[in-house]
Amino acid sequence: KQEVTQIPAALSVPEGENLVLNCSFTDSAIYNLQWFRQDPGKGLTSLLLIQSSQREQTSGRLNASLDKSSGRSTLYIAASQPGDSATYLCAFLTSGTYKYIFGTGTRLKVLA
Amino acid sequence: NAGVMQNPRHLVRRRGQEARLRCSPMKGHSHVYWYRQLPEEGLKFMVYLQKENIIDESGMPKERFSAEFPKEGPSILRIQQVVRGDSAAYFCASSSTGVDAGNTIYFGEGSWLTVV
């Protein structure tokens, strides 16, 4: 069964901290992995997309890494801000399919 | 802004009624996906459609649920005879070509269905 586990489930940090969100997945035959942000009552915004041939992607204060052999991805957020407060979802796509497999997310709260 | 548009955003239905959720993909996108997010659970794939064709409906419940993406107009997710367990957020997403070709998927804001 394909699964995604995200740890921690919830995280509360003071503003300015660097933090790491973890995602582990069970299928090594992934095609790509995406990190999304979801605000309460809102849809999903794609933050970073990592193809299976890549090891990391960066966008501004965000950096995502992918280690297929260990089935892990991390999202690193530098210098966190209150506006970063949201739920962060990790999802992967297996080769030859169209279905993203989602984790249940990490609820992040950055305190001013 | 030609993002993925879903309506209604919030829908309340009594048990036994029908719910119709509509999704207009981004301009130029012909691939539509529906996902469901149950309370405290991750998003689960339901169905993948291209214009006039259902490509993969392996995530759809066998009964009461149907989806279509006609040649003209939005994609429709239809739930007949709703039950309390159907209460969830239903997200539509679109891409210009299949996501297995490496294209980014864009999500709408979701339709929140509450069955009372």
Side-chain angles (χ1 to χ4, degrees), chain A residues 49-62:
Chain A
L49 168 67
I50 311 176
Q51 300 291 354
S52 62
S53 58
Q54 298 173 322
R55 295 191 68 86
E56 66 177 337
Q57 282 285 347
T58 298
S59 176
R61 294 182 294 108
L62 305 178

Side-chain angles (χ1 to χ4, degrees), chain B residues 4 14-15 30 34 39 42 45 47 52 55-56 58 60 63-64 66 68 94 96-100 102 107 111 116:
Chain B
V4 179
R14 296 185 182 280
R15 282 178 292 171
S30 59
W34 285 92
F45 169 85
V47 62
E52 300 185 274
I55 307 302
D56 182 346
S58 58
M60 290 271 276
E63 298 178 348
R64 301 185 299 106
S66 62
E68 63 177 8
S94 72
S96 55
T97 58
V99 290
D100 59 336
F107 280 84
S111 290
V116 297

